[in-house]
Amino acid sequence: MVETKSNGRHPGRTLLILGLLFLAAWLPRALTLDEFVTPDERKWLARSANFYLALSEADFDATYQTEHPGVTVMWLGALGWRSTYPEYVTQTPGQIADVQLEEWLAVNGRFSPLELLVALRRWVVLAIAIAIVAGFFPLRRLFGELAATLAVLYLAWDPFFVALSRQLHLDGLLASLICLALLTFLAWLYGGGQKRYLIASGLATGLALLTKTPAVFVLPTTGLLLLIETSRRRRAGRNDLLALFGSYAIWLAIAGALFFLLWPVMWRNAPDVLRTIVEMMTVHGQGHELPNYFRGEVTYDPGLLFYPVAFFFRTTPMTLFGLLAALVWGWRRRWPLDTADRRFSTFGLALFALIFTLGMALGAKKFDRYLLPAFLVLDVVAALGWLGLASWLGSRLRSERDQQQAQEQNVAPLGSAGVVLLIALFLAHGWLGICHAPYYLTYYNPLAVAVV
């Protein structure tokens, strides 16, 4: 069911919602950024410095710093260097490793490595907050304003997501971009075929691929969804299948073009760069340099159970129950999963989570943070499940007249009981992480802790 102008959409209210959502997403990530450091960030501080230097000297080959490829993080990092320490490019001895950078800053720099790290983190946090809030538009197209607002707020406050999106690192930005790419693709496929969502999805997909190679799992997901939708439309007698595949080709072209345009080394030697990425990802997939500890054993490959266990330990109890509720409302075809398009959209999110988890499980090298993109799309599904439960609770306590009015207005008002339930739920979901601030990475699911 597509939201229309009759739903009472007002620009002023939309701006207010976006502003509040931005604050909710940005504040937990932006505060106390100088209170912690994680191991890999020193590498990205140096890589961003090298990227900034390469851009300033038009040394396009030097914009290749790693096979991840981490280009979006380095662009944001370069903005951090440019806004904080612009003269670095005239003083630096050249392309430099992380330890060397710290030693050079100690002798020659105006800022400490921590001060620069915080400056660069702020740009990453800003980009992630914008990507989170941008998800409001495709979600509103698919599920309406209320569901969009609550879903964005819910995923923004995911404790594990907050922890990983406060760093000069890849995973928080990758998850944000993948989630936005999927939501906008679904809004195009199931929300009326508007080209703006197709273009936005292509751009977000290109940025995600520039961030980290696991973004490639967006491609088989969207391809499968397109085939399913093709079969569905054929059964319905629709004759727009050629246009559907043509639009998908445009989507692929947009993603590929952005990947090429924003990474200068691709202008010089694209085939070799792509070949190197594939070769290095194959090496990474063969295992860790150092072993993992999983289920009481030291191992180089934790196996297929690692990511389900990691999800259980890093998610919240509210998400687990929300996913169960979404399954129930989808099966019963109840609001907000009352229409086929909404159910297919929710299925698309769950399908990506499954494909991504299985794909990441094939490699021997595993970290819980690698699964973050699946967390975000499942957060959206869980939020829809809780919204349906709140609506059901409200309907049980509403008068017959109120229910009739709701049906006429094509909305599902929650009632006071539903509102109370959602407020308590969202505060608890967010508080589980906030109470660990500023060391959000110390959060673990209370249910998992109890089991252990």
Side-chain angles (χ1 to χ4, degrees):
M1 178 174 58
V2 176
E3 193 179 50
T4 63
K5 292 182 179 180
S6 63
N7 295 123
R9 186 183 299 175
H10 302 291
R13 184 171 67 188
T14 298
L15 288 175
L16 177 61
I17 291 172
L18 293 176
L20 293 174
L21 287 176
F22 177 81
L23 287 176
W26 179 77
L27 279 174
R29 294 167 170 82
L31 299 177
T32 62
L33 286 175
D34 58 349
E35 294 288 331
F36 67 99
V37 176
T38 58
D40 286 348
E41 288 183 283
R42 66 192 306 187
K43 298 178 183 178
W44 289 104
L45 184 65
R47 288 166 180 166
S48 297
N50 294 335
F51 191 81
Y52 175 41
L53 177 62
L55 292 175
S56 67
E57 296 180 343
D59 182 5
F60 298 148
D61 287 339
T63 61
Y64 180 95
Q65 291 289 315
T66 176
E67 68 280 353
H68 288 307
V71 177
T72 52
V73 171
M74 291 189 294
W75 270 109
L76 294 169
L79 286 173
W81 279 98
R82 181 70 178 84
S83 61
T84 306
Y85 196 178
E87 65 271 25
Y88 170 80
V89 294
T90 63
Q91 299 175 358
T92 176
Q95 296 286 316
I96 195 168
D98 49 2
V99 176
Q100 293 172 321
L101 176 62
E102 293 173 6
E103 293 173 348
W104 183 87
L105 288 171
V107 176
N108 304 285
R110 290 199 299 116
F111 300 94
S112 69
L114 180 59
E115 289 173 323
L116 289 166
L117 179 61
V118 170
L120 272 59
R121 281 173 171 172
R122 291 195 182 106
W123 286 94
V124 175
V125 165
L126 177 63
I128 290 174
I130 292 173
I132 291 171
V133 175
F136 170 82
F137 294 102
L139 282 167
R140 183 176 65 176
R141 185 70 185 173
L142 292 166
F143 299 100
E145 186 175 85
L146 176 61
T149 303
L150 294 177
V152 169
L153 184 62
Y154 192 88
L155 72 87
W157 283 356
D158 184 296
F160 195 43
F161 182 33
V162 173
L164 292 172
S165 53
R166 286 163 48 82
Q167 305 173 16
L168 183 66
H169 208 275
L170 306 176
D171 297 291
L173 186 59
L174 173 71
S176 306
L177 292 170
I178 285 179
C179 187
L180 181 60
L182 287 170
L183 291 175
T184 46
F185 184 86
L186 293 169
W188 165 72
L189 191 60
Y190 300 118
Q194 294 186 354
K195 296 298 183 183
R196 60 184 179 184
Y197 289 113
L198 181 74
I199 294 170
S201 180
L203 294 174
T205 301
L207 291 173
L209 290 168
L210 281 168
T211 304
K212 199 173 183 182
T213 50
V216 72
F217 289 112
V218 172
L219 304 182
T221 303
T222 54
L224 281 173
L225 290 174
L226 192 75
L227 291 176
I228 294 171
E229 181 63 11
T230 299
S231 176
R232 182 182 172 210
R233 294 188 182 190
R234 184 183 293 114
R235 290 196 301 270
R238 297 176 59 176
N239 58 359
D240 58 349
L241 302 184
L242 185 60
L244 191 67
F245 281 94
S247 296
Y248 189 68
I250 293 173
W251 177 82
L252 289 171
I254 292 171
L258 194 66
F259 186 91
F260 179 86
L261 290 173
L262 290 186
W263 197 5
V265 71
M266 292 288 291
W267 311 344
R268 298 286 300 273
N269 199 3
D272 285 347
V273 171
L274 295 175
R275 181 167 56 251
T276 301
I277 290 174
V278 172
E279 291 174 354
M280 292 305 299
M281 287 302 103
T282 302
V283 171
H284 287 312
Q286 292 174 356
H288 294 260
E289 296 176 1
L290 298 173
N292 262 343
Y293 182 80
F294 181 63
R295 298 178 65 197
E297 297 180 0
V298 176
T299 175
Y300 283 90
D301 185 355
L304 295 178
L305 284 179
F306 178 83
Y307 284 119
V309 172
F311 180 77
F312 179 58
F313 268 78
R314 288 298 196 173
T315 192
T316 67
M318 297 79 183
T319 298
L320 295 174
F321 289 115
L323 292 172
L324 179 61
L327 182 63
V328 173
W329 303 136
W331 181 264
R332 299 184 63 182
R333 301 185 179 185
R334 297 283 295 272
W335 186 87
L337 304 178
D338 50 336
T339 69
D341 285 338
R342 289 178 170 178
R343 290 192 295 276
F344 273 103
S345 298
T346 307
F347 168 77
L349 295 174
L351 178 65
F352 170 78
L354 177 62
I355 290 174
F356 189 83
T357 301
L358 291 175
M360 296 304 294
L362 294 177
K365 187 175 183 180
K366 296 179 175 69
F367 287 113
D368 53 2
R369 59 185 170 87
Y370 288 176
L371 194 63
L372 187 61
F375 277 74
L376 266 61
V377 297
L378 293 179
D379 280 337
V380 173
V381 176
L384 295 173
W386 278 111
L387 189 59
L389 181 60
S391 175
W392 173 82
L393 179 62
S395 68
R396 303 286 292 181
L397 302 176
R398 285 199 304 265
S399 66
E400 185 175 339
R401 177 182 178 183
D402 289 339
Q403 294 187 43
Q404 179 64 33
Q405 183 179 8
Q407 292 177 358
E408 292 174 355
Q409 295 176 351
N410 199 27
V411 296
L414 301 176
S416 57
V419 170
V420 169
L421 172 64
L422 287 179
I423 291 175
L425 161 74
F426 277 59
L427 288 178
H429 176 71
W431 178 251
L432 286 174
I434 294 297
C435 66
H436 288 263
Y439 308 111
Y440 289 91
L441 281 171
T442 61
Y443 166 79
Y444 288 95
N445 182 1
L447 292 179
V449 174
V451 169
V452 173

